[in-house]
Each structure stands twice: as C-alpha cells, then as structure tokens.
Amino acid sequence: MKKFFWIIPLLALLLLAAHSLRQGDFGLMASFVILAGLLFTRQAWVRWGVVAALLWGGFIWADATVDFVSFRQAFDLPWKRLTAIMAGVIVFDGFALMAMLSQRAKDYFFVAHDKSAARTAIFILTILGLALARTKVPFPVLLADRYLPGWGWAEIFALGVYAQWIGGRMMQPRGHRTLRPRIWGLFSVLFFLQLSLGLMGMEQMLMTGNLHLPVPALILGGPVFRGGGFFMLILFSVTIFLVGPAWCSHLCYIGAWDDTMSRLGSRPAPSGILRRLSIVGRGTTLLLTIATAWILRSMGMPGTSAVLFAVFFGLVGVGIMAFVSRKAGMMTHCITFCPMGLIANIMGKISPWRIRINSDCTKCGACYTRCRYNALDESRMELGRPALSCTLCGDCVSACVHKHIGYSFPGLSGENARTLFIVLVVTLHAIFLGVARM
C-alpha cells in the first residue's frame, strides 16, 4: 500500500477541484485537476507544487468552514456535524501534505530533480504574481477572464507550468542563449498581435480599451506630456530593481525586433564608434524626448497631434534596426538610440546584479562575437567587467567554455547567482505574457 501513497494527495486535490466547481470557479477547478494529473509525471518540481497547493488548500477549507458554520448559525440551523465533517476534510488535507513531504514522495518524484527548487520557485512566483495582478487591478487583466469569465485561474496555472518548463531549460547556459531570443520574440509577437486585433475592433485585446503608442521612449515621454500616468514608468523601475538592465534583453517588446535584425547580419565585433554613441547618442535622444514632451505640453498641443512626433521617433528607430543593426550584427537601436536603454543601464547600477570576468580569463575573445550590445572587448576583459551597455543577456556566459565569466550577486556563488537571476527573469517574462498589453 505504501507504493500508492500518492492516492491521498490525488484525492485531496480532487476534493479542492470539486469545491472550486461548487463555487463556480471553473478555472481553479481545472487547475487542481491538471495538477493532480501531473502527479503521474513524477517530476520533482510537481512535488513541491502540490505541497504549495495543499498548504493553500488548508486555508481554503478553513475559510469555507467559517463561512458554512456562520451561515448555519445565522439561520439557527444545525452546524456541529458540518463542523466535524469540515474538520475531517482539513485533517485529510494535512495527511496529504505529510505524504508529499515524506521520504517516499522524495524517492517517487525523481525526474528532473536537478534545479527542481528553482523550477518550483518560478512556478509559484508566476502564479502569485498573476493572482495578485488579477486581484488588485480594477478590471479583468487576463484574457481568459475577458473572453471566458471564471477561467482566469486556468490561464494563471498554464503560465506557471510554461514558466517552470522554460526556466528548467534555461538553467543551462546554452539553453539560456538559445531560448532567450525565442521567448523574447514570442512575447513581442503576442504583444503586437493583441495590439493589432485591438486596432481591428477587438477592444478587449487592449488593456484598458484605450490605445497607447508602443514606443519605449513614451514610458518616460508620456508622463512628462500628460503630467500623470506613471504605471509603465513604475513597472519599468520595479523591473530594473529586480533584474537590472535585463529589461532590455528579456522583456522589452521593441528590443526583440532589434535582436532579430542583428541576428540577420554577421557576428558582432567590438566597435569604438558605437561605444561612444552608447552614451552620446542615447543621451541626446533622452534629452530630446523630455524636452519635446515638455514643450508640446506647454503649448497645449492635443494628444492626437503630439502622437505624430512619437510615430516619427518610432519609425526612425525601426529604420535603424532594419538598415544598421542588420548590417552590423549589433543591436544598434538599443545601444545608440533608445533613451530607455540608457536609463536602464544607469538605473541598473542600483541593482546588485552584475556580469563579472575573473582574473583567470584567457582573453580568447569568444565572448566578443556573442555580445550584440557592444559591451565586451579586450579593454573590458582587463577591467573584469563589461561596458555600460551590458544588459545581462547572458550570451557571453554561454560562450565562455572556460567558465571565467558569469553572473554576480552579493553573497552568492556564481552558479547560485545565475540560478536566482533565471528564476526572476523567467517569472517576469511569464507575468508579462499574461498582463502586458497596450
């Protein structure tokens, strides 16, 4: 019988699914059922995902008990037997939790045991982040809630499973290098697909039903012009605090275009001219963005007219991607033109994340031809750190066969720092997939 210990957690999850169905939450019901099915995959991360679900389940049952008993007492109905039944359900949930924490469960869930803690963290953090957004935002922020009311939890759960899968594959440096541009591109495609459908009349595809121009410079320029509307600027700042300038290499909906264009060209080579333009060029566009927005606001220009300036700025950026980045094999738009890229690089100094090159570096140059942000050359190897334009993309880490370059975080080893970074950046990617729309 001991080999079938999983029956108790399975039944506990199905009981939670039945309760969710009774409450009319079809998405949560489906999530519990699918999680129960995942028990049979024997994936190590599933064990801890179920532990988290059962812990939450205990609170669900306790809350339900209070509601049921209070209702019966309010109408002077018998309630003691119900209390005993619900207490039994809570105890059963506790037995299921103990079963999942046992040594037998540890031996049973052996598949992909390596990095299972990180994958579980990604799964839980993604779910918590999306659930918090769903609860706090005053309108349906998830597409599932907009088109299939009551199924929001199914979208949250699906994104959690997707995120842990992506995170597991990105734990290896080569996987990070291969998957990063793909999931980044996926986010950009979905972002602009929803925008396009919104423009064609499907207003529910837009975040608020109001159109905003998807030009990164407007993250700063928009609030200056409007004198308010700081949501995107706050989101940008929080992201920089969590993962430094990795916003530019993992999460920016426009940056993915520049990455794609640069990969159509030759392998990048260090450029002194682009290095100088990294500050001068982006500093100029930053000042122009602020000055133009302030002047247009002072003139009382309506938003419909002011948007033409933003369109022009955006088209210039696209032109740089199409003609300069593609030829240079370097993300020229991001490192010489985008003002938010400069802000991300500077604000990233507040974040504790760094790329560090140790003193044993052989200076073989393999990382030079991987860095599309023009942040590495022989002089930077001597200094032991990349240039300001570094966005923590990690391509250099996977290129170094000697493992002399890697992520750094105070108090953590290089391997643990990289693992934590992947946990955070993949979690943000999945949350952005769920909620980032215009």
Side-chain angles (χ1 to χ4, degrees):
M1 184 63 183
K2 289 183 178 180
K3 68 171 63 175
F4 298 109
F5 77 95
W6 48 263
I7 291 178
I8 296 177
L10 176 68
L11 292 176
L13 291 172
L14 294 179
L15 275 174
L16 287 166
H19 177 70
S20 302
L21 179 62
R22 184 178 183 277
Q23 298 296 311
D25 196 330
F26 304 108
L28 189 56
M29 177 272 295
S31 300
F32 280 127
V33 170
I34 295 172
L35 185 58
L38 289 174
L39 287 170
F40 300 102
T41 67
R42 305 182 75 167
Q43 294 273 333
W45 75 269
V46 173
R47 177 192 177 205
W48 295 109
V50 172
V51 166
L54 292 173
L55 281 171
W56 183 36
F59 287 102
I60 291 176
W61 290 127
D63 184 63
T65 300
V66 173
D67 288 343
F68 293 160
V69 171
S70 298
F71 176 82
R72 284 180 170 259
Q73 287 179 335
F75 288 92
D76 199 24
L77 296 171
W79 56 270
K80 293 182 179 179
R81 186 174 67 174
L82 174 63
T83 303
I85 293 172
M86 294 304 295
V89 172
I90 294 173
V91 170
F92 185 77
D93 186 88
F95 277 125
L97 182 60
M98 291 173 60
M100 293 302 296
L101 293 174
S102 67
Q103 182 63 42
R104 190 168 295 278
K106 182 178 180 180
D107 296 337
Y108 179 83
F109 293 97
F110 68 92
V111 179
H113 186 270
D114 186 39
K115 301 296 184 183
S116 61
R119 294 175 67 177
T120 305
I122 293 172
F123 174 71
I124 293 175
L125 289 174
T126 298
I127 288 177
L128 288 176
L130 289 169
L132 182 63
R134 186 181 187 231
T135 303
K136 296 299 182 181
V137 176
F139 53 84
V141 70
L142 300 173
L143 286 180
D145 281 328
R146 296 187 178 198
Y147 287 98
L148 297 169
W151 285 88
W153 267 108
E155 181 179 347
I156 291 174
F157 182 80
L159 285 169
V161 173
Y162 159 80
Q164 67 77 29
W165 176 68
I166 289 295
R169 297 189 63 188
M170 288 180 67
M171 287 299 163
Q172 295 300 322
R174 181 166 182 169
H176 188 181
R177 185 186 72 198
T178 303
L179 282 176
R180 181 185 65 85
R182 295 178 184 176
I183 64 171
W184 191 17
L186 171 66
F187 167 65
S188 183
V189 167
L190 292 178
F191 180 92
F192 283 100
L193 175 62
Q194 291 176 83
L195 174 61
S196 300
L197 293 173
L199 291 174
M200 289 189 291
M202 299 176 64
E203 292 186 358
Q204 291 189 27
M205 284 289 176
L206 303 176
M207 177 69 81
T208 61
N210 299 316
L211 180 63
H212 302 279
L213 198 65
V215 176
L218 292 187
I219 294 175
L220 178 62
V224 173
F225 176 75
R226 295 189 300 267
F230 297 98
F231 173 77
M232 279 301 298
L233 189 58
I234 293 172
L235 178 64
F236 174 82
S237 301
V238 171
T239 304
I240 297 299
F241 175 75
L242 289 174
V243 292
W247 162 283
C248 299
S249 56
H250 292 78
L251 303 168
C252 176
Y253 41 83
I254 288 291
W257 295 18
D258 202 23
D259 180 72
T260 299
M261 289 295 102
S262 70
R263 292 176 188 276
L264 296 177
S266 57
R267 282 199 174 186
S271 169
I273 295 176
L274 293 181
R275 179 72 53 79
R276 289 188 290 273
L277 286 175
S278 176
I279 296 178
V280 176
R282 294 185 298 177
T284 301
T285 57
L286 175 60
L287 292 175
L288 285 174
T289 297
I290 297 173
T292 302
W294 183 80
I295 291 171
L296 293 179
R297 180 187 177 188
S298 301
M299 294 171 59
M301 182 170 289
T304 52
S305 301
V307 76
L308 295 176
F309 288 87
V311 169
F312 174 76
F313 187 91
L315 290 176
V316 171
V318 172
I320 291 174
M321 296 179 205
F323 297 103
V324 184
S325 296
R326 185 165 59 89
K327 182 178 180 180
M330 194 82 73
M331 296 179 63
T332 312
H333 167 272
C334 293
I335 62 176
T336 67
F337 183 75
C338 178
M340 298 311 296
L342 179 60
I343 293 176
N345 288 140
I346 294 173
M347 287 182 62
K349 297 301 180 183
I350 301 173
S351 169
W353 294 106
R354 298 289 185 272
I355 290 289
R356 287 289 182 252
I357 305 152
N358 67 37
S359 57
D360 295 326
C361 173
T362 63
K363 300 178 179 59
C364 66
C367 54
Y368 303 174
T369 59
R370 293 292 184 185
C371 182
R372 299 185 183 276
Y373 290 92
N374 198 42
L376 292 171
D377 58 22
E378 190 170 346
S379 65
R380 304 312 301 188
M381 297 294 107
E382 293 289 345
L383 291 172
R385 61 182 184 273
L388 179 67
S389 57
C390 174
T391 64
L392 307 177
C393 75
D395 285 357
C396 57
V397 178
S398 63
C400 184
V401 296
H402 307 292
K403 298 184 179 181
H404 293 321
I405 185 168
Y407 289 90
S408 171
F409 189 91
L412 295 181
S413 66
E415 183 63 25
N416 288 337
R418 187 178 175 281
T419 297
L420 178 58
F421 179 80
I422 296 297
V423 167
L424 292 175
V425 80
V426 172
T427 297
L428 288 171
H429 161 72
I431 292 174
F432 278 32
L433 274 181
V435 304
R437 297 189 298 281
M438 297 306 293

